[in-house]
Amino acid sequence: SAALVASYSLQVPEHPQIEIGQVEHRIKLVNFWQIAPGSRVLELGCGQGNATVVLAHAVGPDGHVDAVDPGAPDYGSPFTLAQAQAYISNGPVGPQVAWHNATPEAFLEQTTEKWDVAVLSHCIWYFAAPSVLTSILGCLRGRVERICVAEYALHASEKAASPHVLSVLARGMLESYKSQSRQNIRSPLGPRAIKEIASACGWAVRDETTIIPEPGLLDGMWEVGSVKGKGFLADIDAVVKDERTRLVLNTARDAVLAAVEGLHGEKVRTMDVWVATF
């Protein structure tokens, strides 16, 4: 069950449903990808391990997950990467997981190993530029049999998810003016752009679908909150000097605020998720 798999990860004691919502979503992804027991999985951009625990549970004791992420051990809130990963390592699926603190390209260069499948689950938007995805997909040629991808679809089937789409566009634009960023949204590539990059690297889509997240997946609410906050305005003042660009960014934020007001108190939802296998 989702509650059982969620227990493998660190949770905020007062709000266990947050992690359960994350796990429920990722179980849907893994089921679509048909990750078989005993599989050898390379997970790129694993972060704190939200998908890692689901993958490790799916492959079982005869399988293995190499989980790779370049994030600093002290990155993350309310728990850091180091804390979250250590907790998983000491739990029931710990023996199936090996953590690697490195960029995907660096990790692939230092080993000759091969895997059944590579997974990029909600990590592409963290990349510094689209060229990073191009480099990674090129490195995976001949190393994996297939690649499984999940990323936000830039589409909202539910009206309550429209503010999430708008907030991503606003955040992505702002982050493009920073030489360094630690935000979740740095390269907001949509399905069309990801498929074009994959095709150029020799990877063709085998299967794809769109998932409408359940209300328990709170990423949309979090991203909207970050754009509504005063920190977003402070960042505009700090990094954007052009008057017209500042206007567009402030207007983009206003569009998020207006979309939230248009919900008349309904909770913000998370936008659709595109899931594919190459």
Side-chain angles (χ1 to χ4, degrees), residues 186-197:
R186 307 170 201 176
S187 296
L189 293 160
R192 178 192 58 79
I194 294 172
K195 286 188 282 189
E196 287 180 356
I197 291 173

Side-chain angles (χ1 to χ4, degrees), residues 136-144 147 198 201-204:
I136 291 171
L137 295 183
C139 290
L140 289 174
R141 293 293 299 171
R143 307 292 294 276
V144 298
I147 299 175
C201 295
W203 294 98

Side-chain angles (χ1 to χ4, degrees), residues 57-224:
H57 185 78
V59 302
D62 294 327
H64 182 76
V65 179
D66 280 304
V68 182
D69 197 283
D74 63 349
Y75 175 79
S77 176
F79 307 112
T80 66
L81 261 66
Q83 291 171 328
Q85 293 176 0
Y87 187 89
I88 294 170
S89 293
N90 292 322
V93 297
Q96 286 107 269
V97 179
W99 306 99
H100 307 276
N101 185 224
T103 65
E105 303 98 314
F107 174 74
L108 288 165
E109 287 174 2
Q110 69 187 22
T111 179
T112 58
E113 287 193 55
K114 295 183 178 182
W115 298 265
D116 298 311
V117 58
V119 171
L120 291 88
S121 176
H122 292 293
C123 68
I124 292 174
W125 287 10
Y126 283 82
F127 296 161
S131 58
V132 175
L133 178 60
T134 301
S135 176
I136 291 171
L137 295 183
C139 290
L140 289 174
R141 293 293 299 171
R143 307 292 294 276
V144 298
E145 295 180 8
R146 59 194 182 102
I147 299 175
C148 299
V149 175
E151 199 49 88
Y152 293 113
L154 295 176
H155 177 267
S157 293
E158 299 285 344
K159 178 183 177 182
S162 296
H164 186 200
V165 177
L166 294 172
S167 70
V168 163
L169 300 178
R171 174 60 70 183
M173 186 184 304
L174 176 56
E175 297 310 304
S176 72
Y177 284 87
K178 299 179 181 179
S179 58
Q180 298 288 332
S181 172
R182 293 185 62 158
Q183 289 290 335
N184 299 352
I185 301 170
R186 307 170 201 176
S187 296
L189 293 160
R192 178 192 58 79
I194 294 172
K195 286 188 282 189
E196 287 180 356
I197 291 173
S199 178
C201 295
W203 294 98
V205 175
R206 299 184 186 184
D207 200 6
E208 61 183 322
T209 192
T210 301
I211 291 175
I212 301 173
E214 298 295 331
L217 190 69
L218 304 181
D219 297 62
M221 185 178 69
W222 295 331
E223 290 298 344
V224 168

